[in-house]
Amino acid sequence: NLGRYSGEYFEQAQEKYTYISQLRTVEGEELYGIKDLLSDFFKAFSSLDAKDIEKYTNPTLDYFFDAEYQDSKLIADSVKTALNKQKVKEITYVPLTDSIEVIQDNKGIYIINLSLKVEKTAIDRKKKKEVNSYPIKMELNNERQITSLTKLVK
């Protein structure tokens, strides 16, 4: 309760307080289900299988890495184009779910923070495999479809 404070922003503060106080940490079987879903999605994403990617995503993603309002049908093609430009033969995405943090809001939206390992194999065999990991934030709607995936600044 905000108690004795009142003023111009009281309503907005009360809304934020109500929202934040209703967030809950996802645990147990529900957490394992989210981990499995993410693992399956990143396998599909690594294979650049458009149909599989669409199974796990909302038709339009609010954010997909640097793109806003990305059509899920175009994800595989846009990544393939980027890989060709970078002369990458293969890319593998592995969610590091040991350090995953999942909360759910009062509207059923899942907010997920975890690290993502990315392995790139160049077309040129002389180049070494490039392995990086970085933190990402994802959101799933109440139907557990991915609506947002963004790379957090490290």
Side-chain angles (χ1 to χ4, degrees):
N1 188 342
L2 298 175
R4 59 189 160 87
Y5 298 102
S6 61
E8 191 175 333
Y9 300 105
F10 180 78
E11 274 185 46
Q12 292 151 312
Q14 185 66 51
E15 281 178 34
K16 292 282 185 200
Y17 174 81
T18 301
Y19 176 78
I20 290 169
S21 67
Q22 293 178 4
L23 295 176
R24 71 173 187 84
T25 301
V26 175
E27 301 172 318
E29 290 300 315
E30 188 177 15
L31 180 61
Y32 288 119
I34 298 286
K35 286 181 177 184
D36 288 345
L37 181 140
L38 296 179
S39 179
D40 292 345
F41 167 73
F42 283 110
K43 281 179 190 158
F45 189 40
S46 295
S47 69
L48 297 175
D49 183 327
K51 288 282 182 219
D52 266 0
I53 291 170
E54 285 180 58
K55 280 197 300 193
Y56 301 103
T57 56
N58 204 43
T60 302
L61 282 80
D62 297 335
Y63 295 97
F64 190 75
F65 291 102
D66 296 331
E68 282 188 63
Y69 307 110
Q70 176 74 44
D71 186 329
S72 65
K73 292 178 182 175
L74 304 177
I75 290 172
D77 288 338
S78 64
V79 172
K80 285 176 190 173
T81 301
L83 294 179
N84 285 336
K85 285 181 183 175
Q86 297 173 23
K87 296 186 176 8
V88 172
K89 178 177 136 185
E90 182 180 48
I91 192 162
T92 305
Y93 298 92
V94 180
L96 304 176
T97 57
D98 289 347
S99 62
I100 194 169
E101 192 178 277
V102 182
I103 57 175
Q104 188 178 34
D105 73 8
N106 58 356
K107 295 178 181 98
I109 305 297
Y110 293 91
I111 302 153
I112 304 165
N113 288 297
L114 74 155
S115 289
L116 183 65
K117 182 169 81 171
V118 181
E119 300 175 1
K120 290 181 184 178
T121 305
I123 293 171
D124 182 352
R125 292 181 185 184
K126 294 175 189 169
K127 289 188 175 184
K128 290 174 66 177
K129 182 184 270 191
E130 189 181 311
V131 180
N132 293 302
S133 67
Y134 46 82
I136 61 170
K137 178 183 175 192
M138 299 178 73
E139 289 188 15
L140 308 180
N141 63 19
N142 56 2
E143 296 170 1
R144 292 192 181 181
Q145 291 184 310
I146 297 165
T147 58
S148 175
L149 190 164
T150 53
K151 181 178 175 179
L152 301 174
V153 179
K154 192 173 187 183

